[in-house]
Structures are given as C-alpha cells and as structure tokens.
Amino acid sequence: TIQQKITLEGRINTLHQALEYSDIPVLITDANGKITYATASFEKILDLSLDVIYNNSLASVFSMHLGQDDISRMERAIRENQKWSGSISFEDNVKNISFLDLNLIPISRDDNQSWAFILSAHDITHYVHKNRIIKKSERRLKSIINNISDLLLILAKQRNKLVFLDANENFSRVFQ
C-alpha cells in the first residue's frame, strides 16, 4: 500500500542519514562485489570521489590500500559468499596516518542465496599506536637488560611458584 511505501522510504532515509551524519564507513555491494552504496566517509578514506566508488568492484577500489593477497582473499570470499576481514592504513589531509579494520559480511535471503555484501570499517588507530609504543618500550627494556654485564634472570611469582620470564644474553650464553 501507499502507507507501507511511505513508511519504508522513511526508514531508508533515516538509516541513510544516520550513517552519513555519524560518519560510519559503510559500503554495500551486489552479489558480485560491485559497489551499490557508499557513505561519504569512504570517499575520504579511499581518497576517491563517490562517482568513482559507485558501480566499481571492491577489489579495484581497494587496490591502492590492500596487497594482492588480501585482494585475492576478498575476491574469493565474494565468490564463495563468505566473510572476509582485513586492515588498511591511510593518510588524511594533514598527513596523520589512520588504521581501519575492514569486515565484509554476506547478506543472504531466506534461501541462502547471496544478494549483497556489507563492508564496514572500524577505526583501530589508537590500538595500533598503543601497540607500537608498547613494542618500542619492550625493545628498549630488552636492550637495557642485554647491556647488563652480570648474569640476569627475571622470574615472577605466580600461584606460589616462580616462573621464568626472561634472561639477558649473558645468562643465556653461560647456561645455554
């Protein structure tokens, strides 16, 4: 009925506005991976205009951000109607590097025939930067430990037992 169409159009418009104004990166493709919908945030991420993104394949749109192995895995997931995930990095206008976790999810009808895929992106920049800081700190600590000339063994008490954590190179060399 006309009322049902108006209600459906209202729901679609609400969803579209929510995605655009919340700046959530979402792409929707057909069963073959051809992009049929994209939020404007992907325009910034991919550094492509929406005109270039629409009606193009996921593989070609992400070819500048993913390696050939990831592209092949993505294309295979589309052919086999499977989930896929990957990550990309990109620079914004002020040369800040950001990282996104990508998730491709097949959307199927009741008869399990794929008719679309949704690709969403989640910002993992803070997590990546935090891990880099931790790894840098661990390398610095390992360097300090290895530059101690005495034999050094690091133990921790866990449940009333001493557990080996680490040793410097001098300790390892002496006790092999």
Side-chain angles (χ1 to χ4, degrees), residues 141-158:
L141 180 61
K142 188 69 174 172
S143 175
I144 291 169
I145 289 170
N146 284 332
N147 283 316
I148 295 174
S149 59
D150 293 334
L151 304 180
L152 182 63
L153 177 65
I154 301 171
L155 303 170
K157 188 173 184 178
Q158 292 180 355

Side-chain angles (χ1 to χ4, degrees), residues 28-51:
I28 298 175
T29 75
D30 64 11
N32 298 314
K34 186 169 140 184
I35 298 168
T36 58
Y37 176 83
T39 57
S41 53
F42 260 118
E43 183 177 21
K44 291 181 273 183
I45 292 166
L46 297 170
D47 196 25
L48 297 170
S49 71
L50 288 177
D51 293 342

Side-chain angles (χ1 to χ4, degrees), residues 4 14 26 31 40-42 48 55 64 66 68 74 86 97 107 118 120 141 143 145 155 158 161-162 166-168 173:
Q4 288 174 324
T14 301
V26 173
S41 53
F42 260 118
L48 297 170
N55 293 319
M64 298 300 293
L66 291 171
Q68 189 55 47
M74 176 194 287
I97 297 177
I107 306 300
I118 294 179
S120 61
L141 180 61
S143 175
I145 289 170
L155 303 170
Q158 292 180 355
K161 293 182 181 180
L162 290 178
D166 205 353
N168 68 354
R173 189 173 36 254

Side-chain angles (χ1 to χ4, degrees), residues 89 97 99 126-139:
S89 62
I97 297 177
F99 299 88
H126 177 72
Y127 173 78
V128 169
H129 288 304
K130 188 169 78 171
N131 276 346
R132 286 181 176 177
I133 291 168
I134 290 169
K135 286 184 187 217
K136 183 177 179 181
S137 176
E138 288 172 349
R139 283 192 306 271

Side-chain angles (χ1 to χ4, degrees), residues 63-89:
S63 64
M64 298 300 293
H65 298 279
L66 291 171
Q68 189 55 47
D69 287 345
D70 282 327
I71 293 287
S72 295
R73 285 189 320 109
M74 176 194 287
E75 290 174 326
R76 185 173 60 249
I78 291 169
R79 280 191 314 273
E80 296 175 1
N81 195 28
Q82 300 291 317
K83 291 181 180 181
W84 172 86
S85 62
S87 58
I88 62 169
S89 62

